Amino acid sequence: MSQAFAHEEVVIRRGRRSGLPLIVAIHSRTLGPAVGGCRLRRYDTWQDGLADALRLSEAMTYKAAVAGLDFGGGKSVIALEKGTELTAERRQLALEDLGELIASFDGSYRTGPDIGTGPQDMVVLKRFSPYAYCTPEEHGGTGNSGVPTATGVLAALRAGARHVFGDASCAGRTVVISGFGSVGGGVAAGLAAEGAHVVVSDVDHSRKDAALERGYGWVEPEEALSVPADILVPAAVGGVLNGETVPRLTAPLVVGPANNQLSDESVADALAERGIVWVPDYVASAGGIVYVLSRESEHYDHEAAHKRVLGIGDTVSQVLDVARSTGVTPLRAARQMAERRLASGGGGDATAS
């Protein structure tokens, strides 16, 4: 992101029950309470977990701003340092520690599932704070946000296809999806239903059989970015677009839900120089947060929230049109939209200039 440190508040604490490092990074509350998922994963050091939280919380600020939400950006991380043993009991204690920490923010930071956590974990957090989203429906939440995230990616993808190919339909186009998890799987199903030739990849080889059973092609992860394709969908890890991989890309359109796809912002220029249209990840991946906050915080019904998710397509069209007409990268166009809204405190529109 643009600055090494521009956050409003960062809290680092060792959990009194679990002894594990807990991090909550709040980048901005300009537009409203900070929102961002709870990540539980292994890092070489807890400082790497801190770097992750700082980077992801800033991205959440821009995601919410571009999506027109009255929320800011945050992130929480339970950092498992190398060699740390995580028993089921210690995991439960770590969630209780985090729930206690989140409660201390009194609603100014709100969370949901992320890598390493899920709807059932939000039930634990909700014992301490009402601001844990995506609990299972029987607990009053919206459950897994993978479906609306995939819906938003498909809307973004069709808008990108219209911009690049002149036709929003992906029928007959080859789409490579790198990452065949819940969101990648949802995107694959949607594309296949409209007649796209879907090729998937995942580091988890146990998913290969499921992909082949659905009629998808399969490619090994190290080849996913370089096989001939019309569209590439990064749906797994971050940093996949970098100085080494960009020269290997064949797809003229890249749009997907993986967070922090660029190793650094200069990669946006490298993509543009190659004539590759990249839809900023925080624009394309906003479907989950748009749907969940619409339902659980703003009390929209399903149809209204779903319609709001589909509006991501209009946002992507606006970003790409501005980028083309002004000669800036889509990343810069999206950033302008976000910064305009942040500067207005949410009172104005997010039109880029």
Side-chain angles (χ1 to χ4, degrees):
M1 291 296 173
S2 57
Q3 299 179 34
F5 186 83
H7 291 64
E8 286 188 16
E9 185 175 3
V10 179
V11 176
I12 304 168
R13 178 183 298 177
R14 188 166 294 279
R16 65 184 181 88
R17 301 170 180 83
S18 66
L20 293 174
L22 311 175
I23 301 159
V24 174
I26 295 176
H27 178 258
S28 173
R29 300 184 185 98
T30 298
L31 299 178
V35 293
C38 162
R39 179 166 290 199
L40 190 161
R41 60 162 292 190
R42 294 192 177 277
Y43 298 93
D44 287 340
T45 67
W46 69 263
Q47 289 91 339
D48 293 328
L50 172 61
D52 214 13
L54 294 174
R55 182 172 58 250
L56 291 165
S57 59
E58 186 171 359
M60 286 300 299
T61 293
Y62 291 107
K63 178 182 287 191
V66 173
L69 298 171
D70 294 327
F71 289 88
K75 205 72 178 181
S76 52
V77 170
I78 301 172
L80 303 177
E81 296 176 287
K82 185 180 292 186
T84 300
E85 181 182 4
L86 186 67
T87 62
E89 180 183 5
R90 196 176 189 191
R91 187 180 190 280
Q92 174 76 13
L93 294 175
L95 289 167
E96 292 176 2
D97 286 335
L98 183 62
E100 187 174 74
L101 177 55
I102 290 171
S104 72
F105 287 93
D106 197 25
S108 70
Y109 168 66
R110 308 176 181 193
T111 195
D114 195 79
I115 291 173
T117 62
Q120 288 294 340
D121 297 316
M122 298 306 104
V123 176
V124 178
L125 298 183
K126 205 159 189 175
R127 286 168 32 202
F128 296 85
S129 168
Y131 301 111
Y133 300 128
C134 298
T135 58
E137 291 184 19
E138 60 268 26
H139 289 274
T142 51
N144 192 323
S145 63
V147 172
T149 300
T151 298
V153 171
L154 287 166
L157 198 152
R158 291 173 184 128
R162 184 185 298 111
H163 182 87
V164 173
F165 306 117
D167 185 352
S169 173
C170 293
R173 302 199 185 280
T174 298
V175 184
V176 175
I177 302 174
S178 177
F180 192 48
S182 62
V183 177
V187 173
L191 289 169
E194 66 178 75
H197 174 52
V198 176
V199 179
V200 303
S201 175
D202 200 284
V203 294
D204 183 353
H205 264 251
S206 68
R207 294 173 176 170
K208 181 176 181 178
D209 288 345
L212 297 178
E213 287 173 4
R214 289 168 173 77
Y216 307 149
W218 177 269
V219 64
E220 295 304 315
E222 61 272 15
E223 301 172 1
L225 274 62
S226 57
V227 296
D230 298 301
I231 303 168
L232 172 67
V233 180
V237 298
V240 67
L241 301 176
N242 54 54
E244 294 182 2
T245 60
V246 167
R248 295 165 41 207
L249 297 179
T250 62
L253 173 63
V254 180
V255 49
N259 290 320
N260 296 322
Q261 292 168 24
L262 308 185
S263 59
D264 62 76
E265 292 191 359
S266 68
V267 177
D269 297 310
L271 288 163
E273 288 168 4
R274 290 207 55 211
I276 297 170
V277 172
W278 175 69
V279 175
D281 41 34
Y282 59 77
V283 180
S285 66
I289 187 175
V290 168
Y291 184 84
V292 170
L293 292 176
S294 295
R295 292 293 311 278
E296 297 195 34
S297 181
E298 301 181 58
H299 309 297
Y300 285 43
D301 63 19
H302 167 73
E303 292 302 325
H306 179 73
K307 183 177 180 180
R308 202 175 186 188
V309 171
L310 294 178
I312 290 172
D314 295 331
T315 302
V316 169
S317 292
Q318 184 180 7
V319 167
L320 297 182
D321 287 347
V322 168
R324 175 181 283 169
S325 64
T326 61
V328 300
T329 65
L331 178 62
R332 183 57 191 152
R335 181 65 62 86
Q336 288 173 344
M337 291 174 67
E339 290 175 346
R340 189 181 192 90
R341 189 156 184 267
L342 288 163
S344 71
D349 63 33
T351 304
S353 61

